[in-house]
Amino acid sequence: MLAVGDSTTLEIIFSTKTYRNRVTKRPKVVTNEGPPDKNVQIIAHIVQRPDSTYPVVMNPYKLDLSQFTTKVRDKISFKISNVSDIELHPTLVALSEDIFELELPDKIPAGGEAEAVLKLKKDALELSFEKSFTLQFDDEKTSRFTIPVKRTVRVAGNPPGTTAGKGTRGGK
Amino acid sequence: MRKTITLFLGLVFILSLSGMALAAPRLTIEESTFNFGFVPQHSKVSHSFVLRSTGDDTLKIVKVVPG
């Protein structure tokens, strides 16, 4: 139920499975507004060879931030290789701001590479999820890339982000 | 006098009915299309759309049907 003037978010999760090339999906949102129902639309260009994309190649092209020990794993870096013949400037299009922070290079020289770092926010340390973020590059086609991010947390004993066993517990 | 009162009450009734007819829920989806660009096969990606209630009655989201 949404009161007049209120808003909410609808998260659409898309599993690319064995799709190929351009795929469009139009999930329908049914409300008491009545017909015609409204749609959201997602478009994706599914690549079978993510290690040979243009104008950039992401390495790795999927990020895994999983944590199976008490050692906190809260960031991961990845390389962006510019395989075009012009300097590229990456920009962030979409990211779950409640979960991530992203450090992007200002520019990537033609034929060169640069490192980017995805950081997990403190409040998200105990979460397991499958999310993604989207980057765009200023080539002729303003190419976009979406990088999947997976995190599974399975820690025996203390949950991540806690420091039980160190210092004192209890009152003052 | 009685005729005037009847006319007034009738007018109030009609106005209240028209007000009821105007009260309707309305869904507005901000930026209803999202382009992921290149996405690797065998992976999961996600995007959050903002849904806003812009009518003059409470909006109930009944279900979302995959498309």
Side-chain angles (χ1 to χ4, degrees):
Chain A
M1 300 284 265
L2 271 183
V4 176
D6 280 1
S7 62
T8 188
T9 55
L10 168 67
E11 185 181 29
I12 300 293
I13 300 168
F14 175 49
S15 177
T16 61
K17 298 176 185 168
T18 54
Y19 285 112
R20 292 179 186 186
N21 304 322
R22 185 184 163 97
V23 175
T24 300
K25 295 284 178 186
R26 286 173 56 82
K28 187 166 67 178
V29 184
V30 181
T31 68
N32 61 338
E33 184 183 350
D37 294 318
K38 291 183 173 148
N39 296 77
V40 293
Q41 176 172 270
I42 54 167
I43 302 164
H45 189 96
I46 317 297
V47 286
Q48 292 175 274
R49 296 282 310 274
D51 54 349
S52 57
T53 49
Y54 186 88
V56 298
V57 177
M58 306 286 181
N59 185 20
Y61 54 83
K62 285 182 186 182
L63 303 181
D64 191 339
L65 259 170
S66 294
Q67 181 180 326
F68 301 112
T69 68
T70 50
K71 186 181 176 187
V72 176
R73 193 148 178 253
D74 60 358
K75 64 181 176 182
I76 187 168
S77 61
F78 59 101
K79 281 182 182 163
I80 307 172
S81 301
N82 180 354
V83 291
S84 77
D85 54 9
I86 57 166
E87 182 177 273
L88 294 173
H89 303 84
T91 52
L92 179 62
V93 175
L95 169 112
S96 297
E97 289 177 0
D98 51 335
I99 294 180
F100 303 121
E101 283 174 29
L102 182 64
E103 288 177 7
L104 280 177
D106 293 333
K107 58 187 177 182
I108 311 167
E113 67 176 31
E115 189 176 81
V117 182
L118 182 74
K119 292 179 179 174
L120 201 58
K121 288 193 172 173
K122 199 175 177 182
D123 290 346
L125 285 174
E126 292 178 34
L127 301 177
S128 293
F129 55 75
E130 285 188 84
K131 300 278 184 185
S132 61
F133 61 92
T134 303
L135 303 179
Q136 186 166 292
F137 297 87
D138 57 343
D139 64 321
E140 273 183 18
K141 294 180 180 175
T142 57
S143 306
R144 276 188 184 192
F145 289 74
T146 294
I147 296 101
V149 186
K150 182 182 176 183
R151 177 174 170 86
T152 304
V153 181
R154 206 175 301 128
V155 180
N158 303 315
T162 63
T163 52
K166 293 178 182 175
T168 54
R169 298 182 71 182
K172 294 173 186 174
Chain B
M1 183 63 179
R2 182 178 289 177
K3 197 175 175 182
T4 308
I5 292 170
T6 309
L7 196 65
F8 176 74
L9 288 175
L11 191 64
V12 168
F13 181 67
I14 290 168
L15 284 175
S16 65
L17 273 184
S18 65
M20 281 166 62
L22 285 174
R26 184 176 170 81
L27 168 66
T28 300
I29 304 171
E30 295 175 7
E31 297 178 33
S32 63
T33 297
F34 184 76
N35 186 351
F36 286 107
F38 293 106
V39 184
Q41 220 177 30
H42 304 291
S43 61
K44 279 185 186 173
V45 292
S46 66
H47 182 72
S48 292
F49 293 90
V50 177
L51 309 183
R52 196 172 294 278
S53 169
T54 55
D56 44 21
D57 198 3
T58 303
L59 179 74
K60 185 179 178 185
I61 298 167
V62 180
K63 60 181 174 179
V64 178
V65 184

